[in-house]
Amino acid sequence: MLTKYQQFFTGRPTIKIAQDLLGKMVKYHGPAGTVGGYIVEVEAYLGEGDSASHAFNGRRTGYSESLYGQPGNIYLYQIRGHYCFDIVVQDEEEPQGILLRGMEPAINVAEMTKNRQMTGVNISNGPGKLVQALGIHSRKLDGQPMETSALTVDLENYRVPQEVVTTARIGVNLQGENGLSPNRFFVKGNPYVSNMRKRDMDLDHHGWKD
């Protein structure tokens, strides 16, 4: 039987789960203490029928095996030299996932700044940057349930976006059947959204409701 935590990540459309993750806090309890921030940008990947998914057409390898696990598990993989972090959603053997693309730092920002050797939005305005900012440099956490892992998402304490923007995903094959599917969601105006233009940033409220 699924726990209450796991139930958040299944039983409804992946795009709905993805939108509901905006404003939740991702945390990593690492060697340097706890770091974390609010999720501001995500992308949904819809499994074997999604041309942008690692499981497209039933592709299944040892590397992507975690994508077939329980809802709420971690799928941590490396692409173009960077580590990225998906949350597994839907029931076991249904390989759908949500990529965390952007995070607004909130816990131990100094440590994340040190991890990235960057300041400002460049700390975590992209999927590889986000994982590096947290201090994760390997696939050791791959396949673990977030509920009991050092890498987790706090579903109880969160902020509420004023508005959620929907667009096509970034960095996928645009020629693929689902290349332009509207499966990317972000907090409108938040400076830590990847590729956010300065003129579109809400520098006063970062796109959150008060």
Side-chain angles (χ1 to χ4, degrees):
M1 180 176 293
L2 297 178
T3 67
K4 182 179 178 181
Y5 187 91
Q6 290 173 317
Q7 289 172 11
F8 178 90
F9 297 102
T10 189
R12 54 207 172 109
T14 296
I15 58 173
K16 175 61 176 171
I17 300 171
Q19 292 173 61
D20 283 353
L21 277 171
L22 295 173
K24 304 297 191 292
M25 182 174 282
V26 57
K27 298 178 180 178
Y28 177 54
H29 307 289
T34 300
V35 295
Y38 296 103
I39 299 168
V40 299
E41 180 185 7
V42 295
E43 288 179 345
Y45 290 86
L46 307 183
E48 296 180 353
D50 183 349
S51 64
S53 169
H54 290 180
F56 181 50
N57 278 343
R59 184 168 65 237
R60 185 170 185 167
T61 67
Y63 195 84
S64 63
E65 184 64 26
S66 296
L67 196 51
Y68 290 79
Q70 293 276 356
N73 282 9
I74 295 166
Y75 175 39
L76 210 161
Y77 55 95
Q78 193 172 23
I79 185 166
R80 303 185 192 96
H82 302 287
Y83 291 100
C84 296
F85 163 39
D86 281 23
I87 300 172
V88 178
V89 295
Q90 305 308 342
D91 295 337
E92 191 172 11
E93 297 297 318
E94 176 56 53
Q96 299 194 34
I98 296 169
L99 169 67
L100 273 57
R101 279 200 60 93
M103 170 187 71
E104 180 179 328
I107 301 174
N108 202 347
V109 180
E111 181 63 26
M112 288 189 282
T113 300
K114 178 182 172 184
N115 290 338
R116 283 281 297 139
Q117 298 187 355
M118 292 276 185
T119 58
V121 298
N122 282 313
I123 294 175
S124 52
N125 64 342
K129 296 176 185 180
L130 184 157
V131 173
Q132 188 178 36
L134 293 173
I136 296 169
H137 307 288
S138 75
R139 298 188 68 216
K140 182 178 178 181
L141 298 168
D142 180 57
Q144 293 188 15
M146 283 193 309
E147 192 169 17
T148 55
S149 170
L151 176 61
T152 189
V153 170
D154 184 348
L155 301 178
E156 302 298 325
N157 301 291
Y158 54 87
R159 303 193 74 173
V160 179
Q162 289 186 22
E163 186 176 340
V164 173
V165 178
T166 301
T167 72
R169 293 169 291 193
I170 295 175
V172 302
N173 179 9
L174 299 180
Q175 308 305 316
E177 181 180 352
N178 307 108
L180 295 174
S181 295
N183 292 338
R184 172 179 174 246
F185 309 97
F186 63 86
V187 178
K188 183 178 182 179
N190 190 282
Y192 292 90
V193 172
S194 57
N195 298 338
M196 176 68 70
R197 295 175 299 188
K198 192 165 185 177
R199 68 172 182 262
D200 295 330
M201 293 180 181
D202 172 7
L203 297 177
D204 294 323
H205 304 285
H206 290 193
W208 303 116
K209 290 184 178 179
D210 293 332

